[in-house]
Amino acid sequence: MVALHLSFPTTFNHQAKLPIQGLASSRQKHVSKLHSSISPGCLFICNSEQLQHPTNPISLFPPVDQSVAAIVFGDGSESRLYPLTKRRSEGAIPLAANYRLIDAVVSNCINSNINKIYALTQFNSTSLNCHLSRAYSGVLRGKDGFVEVIAAYQSPQDQGWFQGNVDAIRRCLWVLEEFPVDEFLVLPGHHLYKMDYQKLIEAHRNRKADITIMASSAIRDQDPGLGLLKVNTENQVIDFRIKSDREPASSISAEALRRSRNSTYENISSMGIYLINREVVARLVNEHFPEANDFANELIPGAISTGMKVEAYRFDGYWEDMRSIEAFYQANMECIKKSNIRYNFYDRDSPVYTMPRCLPPSLIRDAEISDSVIGDGCIINRCKIKGAIVGMRTRIGDGAAIQDSVIMGSDIYQKNDIESSGNEGQAKATPVGIGEDTQIRKAIIDKNARIGKNVMIINKDNVHEGDREGNGYIISGGIVVVLQGALIPDGTIL
């Protein structure tokens, strides 16, 4: 005997893996009627022996892996991480010896059971596109998922570049709508944090929101492109403005005031992460605001003004939006702390995925290393390393001393017997890596840099900001940044 049994737990179980046949297709037609008489509720199917003890509740919502697609933006035309973005996009910047910045966001998706991931790229995207296509080509294959790179393109209708993240979605909507998902999760590809997006999705669906914005409870000196949310006591967003010390807060619309009368307002920081219903995306970008180009400046304030239900979801964990060279440097330094690690690369329940590489173990000869992270395939001779991140294939010569620095490593190995004649330049005579007896302190050495012998990169004059790009380096926030592929000759003092 099979019976249909209605139960009324206090919360939905969104982890159920046994969807009722045909329920997803009829959800839009029947859910509103069901909610009017059941609030909130779950549906169970059981036999007569299970009526006394029902188990395995079946969610009224479709599983996340079938109903949500992530849209990841890996780059932007303007970056505060220059010169690290001189030849690559923000998402492709090396992080913590073995990773790229975008790996953190893509890994969040995979660990949250979101296996349909689109990466929209445009500026300096060669390195990022290569990394994504090689790193994740087989990771989601067994889950019927993918990481698909959609680079900026031209068509008979659109002859130019993407004009912003909203314009990119509008022009790629025909690809994004290939699978019948219910929501799009829009993600910046250069932020560092860990989150189970399934909790965000659950809150969004329970609140029946049109748009949910992930927000940090702490107001901080963040990228002004992300903005501030004004929310009421129910976490409904009634106003959205771009954070600026010189501009007053935008006025609240009459409709927003009416909806939020007698509420207490609170300002929280947007993280630039949006969960938007699929049909809402199409209406906003094509019907309501066909000329809009940016989420923070145009689309979100516009959605609020039209009366859409925009909610805030608070995130209390570690989040770094890489708004500056100093922020990037500090995020790397956090990786080597013995306690209170703010971003844990060693969490086996939430691993960070990246490109698999066939590199040998690092070879370390009589070196003194403490409080540091050493990447794969390094060749480290008699030197001292303290509080440093040493990236893949880094070669460090005898007598070198590296402290509180980020060494991004190399893309290649070089022959040890570099032959040079009097007619050959210094660039050929100085191999990629760190030369003998060189001292480096509080610096970022980008990939494939050639640091000669007896070099001192220590910011000897305590300069806070300095542009010496023509000489292969800049100083930002007191941190010396050596450019990708730069040559610092023997005996140089910076």
Side-chain angles (χ1 to χ4, degrees), residues 130-193:
C130 178
H131 175 78
L132 288 170
S133 60
R134 295 172 63 187
Y136 300 103
S137 59
V139 172
L140 296 169
R141 190 173 299 163
K143 300 180 180 180
D144 296 325
F146 56 82
V147 177
E148 183 171 339
V149 176
I150 306 177
Y153 65 93
Q154 295 188 21
S155 67
Q157 296 78 25
D158 298 296
Q159 296 292 327
W161 291 96
F162 295 152
Q163 299 304 304
N165 44 25
V166 171
D167 183 54
I169 288 178
R170 180 187 298 112
R171 290 170 57 177
C172 297
L173 202 57
W174 63 278
V175 179
L176 302 176
E177 291 185 330
E178 180 180 2
F179 293 91
V181 298
D182 292 340
E183 296 99 0
F184 289 116
L185 179 61
V186 180
L187 302 165
H190 60 281
H191 293 183
L192 184 63
Y193 63 99

Side-chain angles (χ1 to χ4, degrees), residues 370-388:
S370 62
D371 301 331
S372 299
V373 172
I374 309 297
D376 298 334
C378 296
I379 300 175
I380 300 175
N381 295 311
R382 294 185 303 145
C383 61
K384 294 182 179 180
I385 301 173
K386 181 179 180 180

Side-chain angles (χ1 to χ4, degrees), residues 36 74 97 109 177 217 233 262 268 291 299 320-321 337 349 354 365 368 435 465 481 494:
S36 64
C109 293
E177 291 185 330
S217 298
T233 54
N262 300 324
I268 54 179
E291 302 299 324
L299 204 69
E320 180 52 68
D321 61 347
K337 287 188 174 180
D349 296 324
T354 190
R365 299 187 180 100
E368 297 180 19
E465 300 290 333
V481 183
L494 304 181

Side-chain angles (χ1 to χ4, degrees), residues 157-158 161-171 281-295 297-300 302:
Q157 296 78 25
D158 298 296
W161 291 96
F162 295 152
Q163 299 304 304
N165 44 25
V166 171
D167 183 54
I169 288 178
R170 180 187 298 112
R171 290 170 57 177
V281 171
R283 290 207 311 270
L284 285 174
V285 303
N286 290 327
E287 298 176 19
H288 296 309
F289 308 102
E291 302 299 324
N293 292 323
D294 184 74
F295 272 97
N297 285 292
E298 300 168 278
L299 204 69
I300 299 302

Side-chain angles (χ1 to χ4, degrees), residues 95 100-109 191-193 343 352:
L95 173 75
R100 304 281 186 119
L101 268 176
I102 203 168
D103 290 333
V105 176
V106 174
S107 296
N108 280 341
C109 293
H191 293 183
L192 184 63
Y193 63 99
Y343 186 90
V352 183

Side-chain angles (χ1 to χ4, degrees), residues 68 154 246 273 415 429:
V68 179
Q154 295 188 21
R246 294 175 294 179
I273 295 170
K415 294 181 179 180

